[in-house]
């Protein structure tokens, strides 16, 4: 007795190969997804740290500016600025006070304000921010020379 074969049927081997392929693809995609999520998390943590460091430096800069501007006259303000280590310049009409607040190992917040006029009045209303910017400081580069052939 001969059995008749059904036309167009898929064998059990082909289904098994397809199932293994699907499982393999899903495993690869899950690993890629996990790796991408971990990289995103690290980047988010690094970004949050950078923002926190910047706002801490900005807060310190604002506190220093507030302490300077609480002085009764320009002469006292310039004296306090010199005591705080600020750079002071004068172009004949304006006094420029600049100082640097460290943000992190490679960035500084540079602040420069201008005090207009040479009057001895309270400086409120007679000052302006000239610069309030992040400057990148170059970290020290280690000596990368290898003396391989040195005798």
């Amino acid at each position: 007795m001969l059995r008749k074969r059904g036309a167009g049927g898929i064998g059990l081997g082909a289904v098994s190969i397809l199932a293994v392929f699907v499982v393999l693809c899903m495993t690869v995609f899950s690993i890629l997804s996990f790796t991408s999520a971990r990289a995103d998390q690290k980047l988010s943590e690094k970004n949050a740290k950078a923002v926190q460091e910047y706002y801490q430096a900005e807060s310190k800069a604002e506190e220093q500016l507030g302490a300077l501007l609480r002085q009764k006259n320009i002469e006292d303000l310039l004296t306090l600025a010199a005591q705080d280590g600020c750079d002071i310049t004068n172009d004949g009409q304006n006094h420029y006070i600049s100082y640097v607040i460290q943000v992190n190992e490679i960035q500084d917040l540079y602040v420069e304000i201008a005090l207009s006029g040479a009057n001895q009045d309270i400086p409120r209303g007679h000052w302006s921010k000239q610069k309030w910017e992040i400057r990148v400081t170059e970290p020290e580069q280690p000596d990368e020379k290898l003396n391989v052939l040195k005798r």
Side-chain angles (χ1 to χ4, degrees):
M1 293 198 217
L2 295 173
R3 277 196 286 180
K4 291 186 179 179
R5 287 190 168 182
I10 297 178
L12 187 58
V15 172
S16 296
I17 291 175
L18 183 61
V20 168
F21 179 73
V22 168
V23 169
L24 186 65
C25 286
M26 291 183 71
T27 303
V28 169
F29 288 140
S30 67
I31 291 171
L32 289 174
S33 178
F34 177 75
T35 305
S36 176
R38 182 72 179 139
D40 288 345
Q41 180 186 12
K42 286 182 180 179
L43 183 62
S44 296
E45 289 170 356
K46 187 176 179 182
N47 187 29
K49 181 182 176 191
V51 169
Q52 182 180 15
E53 289 171 341
Y54 172 77
Y55 282 121
Q56 285 174 348
E58 185 176 32
S59 176
K60 288 178 186 176
E62 287 286 353
E63 287 173 8
Q64 187 168 353
L65 179 59
L68 291 173
L69 295 178
R70 280 192 291 274
Q71 301 306 306
K72 295 183 181 184
N73 56 45
I74 290 179
E75 201 61 40
D76 292 344
L77 188 148
L78 294 175
T79 302
L80 180 64
Q83 290 172 354
D84 286 347
C86 299
D87 292 330
I88 302 169
T89 57
N90 187 344
D91 67 358
Q93 295 179 346
N94 297 320
H95 295 283
Y96 295 95
I97 299 173
S98 61
Y99 54 94
V100 175
I101 305 292
Q102 184 176 6
V103 176
N104 54 35
E105 298 85 27
I106 61 168
Q107 292 180 329
D108 290 332
L109 177 62
Y110 178 77
V111 176
E112 182 178 301
I113 61 169
L115 302 168
S116 55
N119 60 6
Q120 296 298 315
D121 296 337
I122 297 173
R124 290 186 195 102
H126 302 288
W127 68 274
S128 64
K129 289 181 185 177
Q130 299 297 305
K131 294 182 181 175
W132 192 277
E133 61 192 17
I134 291 289
R135 291 188 176 173
V136 176
T137 58
E138 292 295 325
E140 292 184 23
Q141 297 294 328
D143 186 19
E144 296 181 9
K145 295 179 182 175
L146 296 176
N147 295 322
V148 177
L149 298 176
K150 187 176 182 181
R151 293 182 188 183

